[in-house]
Amino acid sequence: MITTVERRYSLDEYRAIEEKAEGRNEYHDGEIVPIPGVSLNQSHISGNIFAFLKFLLRDSKFEPINSDLRLWIPEYKRGLYPDVMVFAGEPQLNENRSDEVLNPTLIIEVLSPSTADYDRKGKFRMYRSISSFCEYLLVEQDEILIEKYSKQSQGWLLSDFNNLETSISLESIGVELPIAEIYRGVVFE
């Protein structure tokens, strides 16, 4: 019987690899996990959301960031790349690094068939360990459906949205996000 030993990487090793990597990789407490590529719909949706929020929040205390910046989750020793994050005030840098942040208020993930379960369960569990985090959007790319989780005193409240004529109230940042803007330019098969 042949046994293979998986290589474990220190956080410093991961960061050095990630600085030179052509693609992005998540850090999972010693494991380096490649992030799968995105579809055209996923790119449209995350771009639409980021551009709309960037415009709406331009003169406010809130700062939207796209998926190029890594979110560090200390409790789980994870470095993840949400599709869109919004910060109340300045993003708090992890160990003064310019590529890792700690304190999003709102996180948005565009679901793909390969990541949907992870985004709904594992990532959401880890995101909830962030004290500033209070709103989560999960956006389907193959149909008009958005799940919004809002932090309440007794837990997380789920609301579903599936009508292009409505908007989603993002209480954490004080804006309305029209569903038609989220799906602008998206072609469903």
Side-chain angles (χ1 to χ4, degrees):
M1 176 179 208
I2 298 174
T3 308
T4 59
V5 177
E6 287 187 26
R7 171 99 165 34
R8 309 255 331 145
Y9 295 85
S10 72
L11 184 54
D12 289 336
E13 288 173 315
Y14 161 72
R15 287 173 174 160
I17 291 168
E18 194 67 0
E19 285 174 4
K20 297 175 185 149
E22 291 184 25
R24 290 178 305 167
N25 302 284
E26 292 183 345
Y27 182 77
H28 294 196
D29 193 18
E31 290 181 58
I32 295 177
V33 180
I35 296 174
V38 301
S39 69
L40 184 59
N41 278 358
Q42 189 172 4
S43 181
H44 276 309
I45 291 166
S46 61
N48 289 345
I49 294 168
F50 175 74
F52 196 79
L53 290 177
K54 187 74 171 170
F55 178 77
L56 279 181
L57 299 171
R58 69 190 179 283
D59 294 323
S60 75
K61 69 175 188 171
F62 297 102
E63 174 78 22
I65 301 289
N66 65 16
S67 63
D68 294 334
L69 193 61
R70 186 170 52 249
L71 173 61
W72 181 249
I73 305 174
E75 184 175 324
Y76 292 93
K77 297 179 185 153
R78 298 288 175 104
L80 306 174
Y81 291 91
D83 291 312
V84 178
M85 295 182 280
V86 179
F87 297 83
E90 289 290 317
Q92 180 185 353
L93 301 176
N94 183 37
E95 301 174 2
N96 293 315
R97 297 185 58 83
S98 62
D99 60 350
E100 286 180 0
V101 292
L102 296 165
N103 63 324
T105 298
L106 166 66
I107 297 175
I108 301 168
E109 295 282 10
V110 180
L111 302 176
S112 68
S114 65
T115 66
D117 284 342
Y118 178 48
D119 289 339
R120 277 194 180 93
K121 296 174 186 168
K123 274 189 180 179
F124 187 34
R125 179 175 43 84
M126 288 183 273
Y127 291 159
R128 291 191 312 257
S129 72
I130 301 167
S131 62
S132 60
F133 174 59
C134 60
E135 212 159 25
Y136 190 37
L137 287 186
L138 295 166
V139 182
E140 290 284 349
Q141 65 172 301
D142 297 323
E143 64 177 309
I144 298 165
L145 180 60
I146 298 145
E147 298 171 21
K148 177 182 121 175
Y149 290 88
S150 302
K151 190 175 185 178
Q152 310 289 308
S153 58
Q154 61 278 78
W156 288 81
L157 176 66
L158 169 63
S159 304
D160 291 330
F161 301 86
N162 61 2
N163 183 340
L164 279 178
E165 306 301 317
T166 62
S167 293
I168 300 171
S169 179
L170 300 173
E171 291 89 5
S172 65
I173 59 173
V175 300
E176 295 284 324
L177 181 57
I179 294 175
E181 291 298 326
I182 292 171
Y183 289 102
R184 181 180 294 281
V186 173
V187 177
F188 298 107
E189 301 278 328

